[in-house]
Amino acid sequence: MPLRETLTNTWDHIQGFLFPMLREEVGPLTAQHERLVVVLDVARVEAFVQMWSGLPGRPPEDRHALARAFVAKAVLDLATTSGLIERLAVDATLRRLCGWERASQVPSESTFSRAFAEFAESSLPNRVHEALIKRTYKDCIVGHISRDATAIEAREKPVKVETPKTPKRKRGRPKKGEVVAKPEPRRLERQVGQTLPQMLADIPTCCNVGSKRNAKGHTTSWIGYKLHIDTADGDIPVSCLLTSASLHDSQAAIPLATITASRVANLYDLMDSAYDAPEIWDKSRALGHVPIIDANPRRGGKAAAEAEARAKRCAGYELAEDVRYNQRSSAERVNGNLKDNCGGNHVRVRGAPKVFCHLMFGILVVTVEQMMRLVT
């Protein structure tokens, strides 16, 4: 079934059946309540939450309701869990949509914290997002995948990165009998022959200091992480990867491309000049894609590249690859949507697994809303 037809049937079910039923059951729905209902109905997060009943001891709190509450936190863009609990105490409709009838049933903040640690350990939102993408894009072809990374600020103490110092040898021919150690292969060279688990294990995920040059040419720094996102046409994120802030964007390109290839089939890979490396070009072609990567002028070739670009603009000449490359702006829109509307700027947890879990709840909301926007 085509993608648009699948999403249209889902939207017709929500508009024609689910909203009227909920208005009779819980009362009037605001725009935010309707957003939450759409996300919960499309994502089906409850199907991925594990519950064990009948175990000895005090029964745990309803993990289904807690998972829906964390989705609501991302939908409402609430900064803290305490703010979510206060909102649940006064908003009866929101409380009933999450699964609690009375305000006294809402668990304490410590219970929310324990449940969030369980969700982070089991990668709950990432598994829900993966299943949603595979279910939606089954038997569909994606035109363009835009690959980019965004800075994630965290409230943690950065880990000092110690680079091993290798003694430099003198230039020239080695002495007779001298054994010259071969330089250790770069990470991109190692990734060519590694499996996906090996690549992910080789990528650093600790909190440290990252820096980059913004669009105005100024260098900015932050403490935290980087979230690498592959975005499909329609501003729909299809896969994500969290790394240390100091990691160069190109180091996560090959594992991220491998993850994306297991979820969707696409034609073009769009990347900026940070990804201009032979290994990345070869990996994209090996997956059956057409790489369109902005050239990175090295060794003094920047002036010649700028002169050629000016000549093309004056002549009104534009390659088909340049027209397709403009689609890469969808990655910037996803980054901004995540940070401005779905909790990307409110990271209050520590440790890469919990930070990734928090961000993936926001990515899940962005994905569902962008899918529904295609038909509305």
Side-chain angles (χ1 to χ4, degrees):
M1 185 180 294
L3 175 61
R4 182 173 292 275
E5 185 176 349
T6 302
L7 297 178
T8 301
N9 293 339
T10 303
W11 181 245
D12 291 341
H13 165 75
I14 294 173
Q15 284 283 82
F17 172 74
L18 191 57
F19 281 166
M21 182 194 69
L22 288 175
R23 290 190 182 99
E24 293 181 1
E25 183 69 23
V26 302
L29 300 175
T30 65
Q32 291 181 333
H33 294 151
E34 292 181 354
R35 287 180 58 203
L36 177 60
V37 170
V38 172
V39 174
L40 292 177
D41 184 70
V42 175
R44 306 174 190 175
V45 65
E46 302 88 352
F48 299 85
V49 179
Q50 296 179 344
M51 289 284 294
W52 293 277
S53 58
L55 295 178
R58 181 180 178 181
E61 294 289 344
D62 188 358
R63 291 300 187 260
H64 294 166
L66 287 165
R68 288 190 290 265
F70 282 115
V71 174
K73 181 181 178 183
V75 170
L76 302 176
D77 194 24
L78 298 176
T80 61
T81 303
S82 59
L84 171 64
I85 295 174
E86 292 177 1
R87 179 67 179 267
L88 290 170
V90 299
D91 192 338
T93 302
L94 177 65
R95 186 171 63 245
R96 296 187 66 185
L97 290 176
C98 291
W100 295 294
E101 290 293 334
R102 299 183 300 275
S104 59
Q105 295 177 334
V106 179
S108 63
E109 189 172 353
S110 59
T111 302
F112 272 90
S113 179
R114 287 192 296 270
F116 186 84
E118 295 175 8
F119 298 154
E121 184 179 0
S122 63
S123 300
L124 171 66
N126 188 36
R127 291 187 290 114
V128 175
H129 180 257
E130 178 183 1
L132 173 63
I133 293 298
K134 289 183 177 181
R135 184 172 68 247
T136 304
Y137 283 99
K138 184 180 180 181
D139 301 329
C140 295
I141 296 179
V142 177
H144 308 85
I145 289 293
S146 303
R147 185 164 296 127
D148 199 8
T150 184
I152 301 298
E153 296 185 4
R155 296 186 174 186
E156 297 183 52
K157 186 176 181 180
V159 177
K160 293 183 179 180
V161 180
E162 297 182 359
T163 56
K165 295 182 179 180
T166 56
K168 295 184 179 180
R169 61 176 300 273
K170 293 182 179 180
R171 298 178 61 182
R173 289 184 61 183
K175 296 179 181 180
K176 186 176 181 180
E178 182 183 358
V179 179
V180 180
K182 293 183 179 180
E184 186 178 349
R186 300 179 295 117
R187 180 175 282 113
L188 283 176
E189 295 173 345
R190 296 196 301 268
Q191 289 175 346
V192 173
Q194 290 178 333
T195 62
L196 180 60
Q198 291 173 338
M199 287 188 283
L200 296 179
D202 190 36
I203 291 179
T205 57
C206 60
C207 174
N208 58 18
V209 180
S211 61
K212 66 176 181 179
R213 183 173 295 178
N214 58 23
K216 297 182 179 180
H218 302 295
T219 301
T220 58
S221 300
W222 75 97
I223 297 175
Y225 304 87
K226 266 185 183 179
L227 184 66
H228 306 261
I229 307 175
D230 271 6
T231 304
D233 296 330
D235 303 351
I236 300 175
V238 296
S239 61
C240 303
L241 189 62
L242 187 74
T243 67
S244 299
S246 61
L247 188 76
H248 193 265
D249 292 359
S250 62
Q251 309 297 297
I254 293 180
L256 191 60
T258 306
I259 296 173
T260 301
S262 66
R263 300 182 181 183
V264 299
N266 68 286
L267 303 178
Y268 296 90
D269 290 334
L270 311 181
M271 290 166 271
D272 59 21
S273 59
Y275 299 90
D276 186 11
E279 295 83 0
I280 299 177
W281 285 85
D282 295 340
K283 179 63 176 180
S284 179
R285 295 191 183 102
L287 293 173
H289 307 158
V290 178
I292 301 178
I293 305 176
D294 192 17
N296 190 350
R298 300 181 177 92
R299 299 180 181 176
K302 186 175 181 179
E306 291 178 349
E308 183 180 0
R310 285 196 301 269
K312 287 182 179 179
R313 286 196 300 268
C314 292
Y317 179 73
E318 196 171 17
L319 294 172
E321 289 80 3
D322 297 335
V323 177
R324 290 189 178 277
Y325 184 77
N326 294 332
Q327 179 65 28
R328 206 193 69 85
S329 60
S330 61
E332 302 294 343
R333 290 191 291 272
V334 169
N335 295 340
N337 192 5
L338 173 65
K339 291 185 175 182
D340 296 340
N341 305 316
C342 298
N345 282 332
H346 308 311
V347 178
R348 300 291 188 268
V349 291
R350 297 180 180 179
K354 289 186 178 181
V355 172
F356 188 52
C357 181
H358 170 82
L359 295 173
M360 285 307 299
F361 274 117
I363 287 290
L364 185 61
V365 175
V366 173
T367 302
V368 173
E369 293 189 337
Q370 288 302 126
M371 285 180 177
M372 292 298 102
R373 194 165 294 173
L374 293 178
V375 296
T376 57

